[in-house]
Amino acid sequence: METKMITTGAAFRYGWETLKKDFWYFIGISVLYGVITNIPNSKGTRSGFSILGIFISAWLMGGLYRLLLDYKDGKKQEFSVLFTQLKHYWRILGGSILVGLIVIGGLILLIVPGIIWGLRYMFTIMLIVDKNMDVGTAMHASAEMTRGIKGKLFVFALACLGTMVLGVICLGVGVFVAMPVVWLAFVYLYRSLPNTNAVQVQEPTV
């Protein structure tokens, strides 16, 4: 049986050290991503703008993950890559909505199932971008990757939440530092788990 090593401290050390090494690059990505995804909120809080935010986030998420994955693999991309991953768009949107609905349904069922399902499918979008999977295959692969380590992933998720809260407390602007640290820690964790490099890139069926 393959051992899955989850070290929250190592993930966040990587995130912090990588941010310091290329500070303005990641701050630039953070600010650009944060400003664009918050455009709907700047216009109001009506449901129409919230729906628009979901579409915008799905558009940028593919590019964001591509930038972070390539950087982890030793290839520094231009900011423009943030806007170029449209081939994944509908799968990212569909996967985000489906996982979101599953988690919401679980939260309604006394909260705990929602947390468990959220952790089970936490790598779904990353796998779509990294391995070009369809939604169902990515969800199954994420479930396999997270099998038996939900407790450790919960600790990691709490650390991510705490980092973001600290960023908000630091006059709000600290969130632009907190975001890349969390992103980089997440990518480090993803690349550290078994099977992420062994899974073959697929031609999506959707």
Side-chain angles (χ1 to χ4, degrees), residues 29-182:
I29 294 172
S30 178
V31 171
L32 188 60
Y33 182 87
V35 168
I36 295 175
T37 54
N38 277 284
I39 286 175
N41 296 332
S42 69
K43 297 181 180 298
T45 57
R46 290 175 294 174
S47 60
F49 290 119
S50 298
I51 293 172
L52 177 60
I54 293 173
F55 282 88
I56 291 176
S57 294
W59 169 46
L60 294 181
M61 197 176 298
L64 175 65
Y65 282 174
R66 185 75 272 155
L67 283 167
L68 297 170
L69 286 164
D70 284 352
Y71 195 95
K72 181 68 173 68
D73 296 338
K75 184 179 180 181
K76 183 177 178 179
Q77 297 278 19
E78 298 292 331
F79 284 6
S80 59
V81 171
L82 191 63
F83 310 104
T84 62
Q85 300 298 299
L86 290 175
K87 64 181 180 180
H88 304 301
Y89 179 76
W90 292 109
R91 282 174 287 138
I92 291 173
L93 179 63
S96 298
I97 293 173
L98 180 57
V99 171
L101 290 174
I102 290 173
V103 171
I104 290 171
L107 291 174
I108 293 172
L109 298 174
L110 303 178
I111 300 178
V112 174
I115 295 173
I116 293 174
W117 292 340
L119 296 171
R120 176 180 297 170
Y121 299 122
M122 66 188 291
F123 296 117
T124 297
I125 305 305
M126 187 74 79
L127 285 161
I128 289 173
V129 176
D130 188 31
K131 306 299 182 183
N132 203 27
M133 291 178 171
D134 59 49
V135 174
T137 304
M139 290 178 69
H140 176 75
S142 180
E144 288 300 314
M145 287 172 61
T146 60
R147 187 183 302 276
I149 55 172
K150 301 292 193 307
K152 294 179 180 179
L153 291 174
F154 182 66
V155 173
F156 176 81
L158 288 178
C160 291
L161 177 61
T163 301
M164 292 301 297
V165 169
L166 286 174
V168 172
I169 290 173
C170 294
L171 303 179
V173 296
V175 73
F176 293 115
V177 174
M179 282 197 298
V181 171
V182 169

